[in-house]
Amino acid sequence: MGGMVELQNVLVNLRYFALGPITASFGYRTYNVILGPTGSGKSTLLKVIAGIYRASSGKVVIDGVDVTREPPEHRDVAYVPQGYAVFDHMSVYENIEYGLRFRGIPKDKRRELVLSIARDLGIEYLLGRKAVNLSGGEQQRVALARALIIKPKVLLLDEPLSMLDRETRDRIMPLLRELPSKYGVTVIHVTHDWDEAYSLADRLFIMNNGNIVEEGDPEQVFSRPRNVFTARFLGFQNIIKGIAEVTDNGSIIRAGNILFHHDEKVSGDVYVCIRPEWIEILSNEEAPSDDHNVFRGVVTEVIRSRLGYQVLVSISNDIVFTVLSKNALKPGEEVLLAIPRKSLHVIRAS
Ligand code: ADP
Ligand code: MG
């Protein structure tokens, strides 16, 4: 069985931008996050699913029905655009009721539905207010209520948390997370924020230059990305180009005048990808174990961050590692770096 939303070779041609061709499937009642940098085409992708943009070719299939030529209102899709999606001049009550008014639902029934969804989202107290004076978090809840009240099969959220402060975001996240199970909806949420993506996604899609370049389980994508763009985008600050050769128990990878030992057998052009937090800094007395790649280097720069110190260590002329350290090291200090062999992530260059 296919997913709730299926994109089959979907292409959208805008004047200066082309999206796709994209083939992807978003499962029933799952939380899907599409993560990509600004300008990668995330909003365009949501708009073609919503029916705001027309696909130049390919098909959009929702719940088994080809909706490629259907207008937005025939798609069972609710779309919450980027920025605040509430009508300022209306009351909160009218905002939430809005989608029901065109569906011939009697007034009493409408009232019951509005009250029930407002209760669910904790915004009953706002119903009589004008939408214009709401805080960011309140507006976002109202926008969600307005989208959910029509009982869509698919909910499209365009950067729903990006304008909220951290605390408000942390309060809204659990509410988003439960949408698929509570409302039986398939969520497609786009963002450029990887913390958000990691916390929310059942399935994660990475977008670059108008295409989905990678898809998978969030844990897998974050620790073992298949592609160098993804690795760089997700915080692998150490990406080193090298040439691999198979050995008896794995491979060796030559990069400039340094050598990595790797447990898996690979050969040819590769990228060695290492997260800063995977690299250990050894004190001079500590003996490195042989299941580590060990390099001697000199500290060139130290930047304080919330998680510790980000330290640049120069290993040779053209190789500098970024390492996360608990201690403030000093530029000029000599250090020994140890990288567990099994943590090396190697991507074949194609
Ligand atoms: P994202 O949401 O990932 O930041 P968008 O989908 O908004 O990216 O935009 C992708 C590219 O398409 C951008 O270069 C943008 O300028 C362009 N674009 C978006 N909408 C239109 C449009 N209606 N007409 C022409 N170009 C557009
Ligand atoms: Mg956008």
Side-chain angles (χ1 to χ4, degrees), residues 14-17 37-45 47 53 82:
L14 301 175
R15 201 175 321 169
Y16 300 106
F17 182 74
T38 304
S40 57
K42 303 182 299 294
S43 296
T44 307
L45 179 67
K47 285 177 190 164
Y53 288 165
Q82 201 162 356

Side-chain angles (χ1 to χ4, degrees), residues 103-338:
R103 293 171 190 239
I105 295 166
K107 200 170 173 191
D108 287 355
K109 181 68 186 164
R110 293 206 302 263
R111 180 164 189 85
E112 194 185 304
L113 290 170
V114 171
L115 291 178
S116 141
I117 194 105
R119 205 174 302 128
D120 270 9
L121 296 179
I123 49 174
E124 271 177 299
Y125 70 104
L126 293 175
L127 287 172
R129 287 215 221 150
K130 283 269 183 265
V132 69
N133 296 320
L134 305 180
S135 73
E138 289 167 343
Q139 291 199 40
Q140 204 48 264
R141 284 169 202 256
V142 173
L144 276 178
R146 213 177 69 169
L148 290 167
I149 202 162
I150 62 165
K151 298 197 164 45
K153 286 180 175 163
V154 181
L155 177 65
L156 306 174
L157 302 174
D158 197 340
E159 313 240 11
L161 303 172
S162 63
M163 289 169 83
L164 305 178
D165 60 80
R166 180 155 217 106
E167 204 192 328
T168 310
R169 221 162 53 179
D170 290 346
R171 268 188 284 119
I172 295 210
M173 279 228 251
L175 209 121
L176 295 180
R177 190 65 196 90
E178 67 180 20
L179 295 176
S181 55
K182 196 160 171 189
Y183 297 96
V185 75
T186 294
V187 178
I188 306 177
H189 168 148
V190 308
T191 179
H192 62 264
D193 182 307
W194 34 285
D195 282 329
E196 195 177 306
Y198 190 71
S199 305
L200 290 170
D202 291 319
R203 196 143 185 94
L204 182 61
F205 299 76
I206 307 289
M207 226 173 149
N208 185 30
N209 286 332
N211 276 295
I212 291 177
V213 295
E214 177 150 3
E215 135 178 29
D217 161 74
E219 305 256 355
Q220 175 261 310
V221 177
F222 271 83
S223 64
R224 291 288 180 258
R226 290 194 197 90
N227 130 356
V228 177
F229 168 81
T230 310
R232 195 164 283 129
F233 187 58
L234 297 184
F236 282 78
Q237 281 167 288
N238 303 294
I239 298 183
I240 298 150
K241 212 170 170 179
I243 300 172
E245 261 173 60
V246 173
T247 61
D248 287 348
N249 55 356
S251 36
I252 51 168
I253 300 164
R254 228 173 275 281
N257 54 6
I258 72 169
L259 211 63
F260 292 96
H261 294 272
H262 181 45
D263 287 340
E264 284 156 41
K265 292 188 191 290
V266 286
S267 61
D269 291 346
V270 296
Y271 293 97
V272 177
C273 307
I274 306 157
R275 286 188 175 281
E277 62 270 28
W278 291 349
I279 303 178
E280 297 159 26
I281 300 178
L282 301 180
S283 69
N284 275 330
E285 305 86 66
E286 263 176 288
S289 59
D290 59 1
D291 54 356
H292 285 64
N293 288 284
V294 178
F295 305 106
R296 188 173 293 281
V298 177
V299 174
T300 57
E301 227 179 288
V302 182
I303 302 161
R304 191 174 60 204
S305 83
R306 220 165 33 81
L307 302 169
Y309 294 87
Q310 183 172 295
V311 180
L312 302 194
V313 177
S314 169
I315 301 296
S316 68
N317 286 339
D318 50 356
I319 297 181
V320 176
F321 280 108
T322 302
V323 185
L324 206 59
S325 161
K326 284 190 191 68
N327 309 315
L329 297 158
K330 295 208 169 42
E333 247 180 273
E334 265 201 23
V335 291
L336 218 50
L337 302 182

Side-chain angles (χ1 to χ4, degrees), residues 2-63:
M4 172 59 85
V5 178
E6 283 161 76
L7 305 177
Q8 301 171 4
N9 287 306
V10 170
L11 196 72
V12 182
N13 283 312
L14 301 175
R15 201 175 321 169
Y16 300 106
F17 182 74
L19 179 87
I22 287 180
T23 295
S25 171
F26 306 96
Y28 282 86
R29 301 182 174 194
T30 54
Y31 205 109
N32 302 274
V33 177
I34 299 176
L35 177 62
T38 304
S40 57
K42 303 182 299 294
S43 296
T44 307
L45 179 67
L46 289 191
K47 285 177 190 164
V48 75
I49 299 172
I52 296 163
Y53 288 165
R54 210 28 105 66
S56 317
S57 65
K59 275 189 195 170
V60 179
V61 178
I62 295 176
D63 207 6

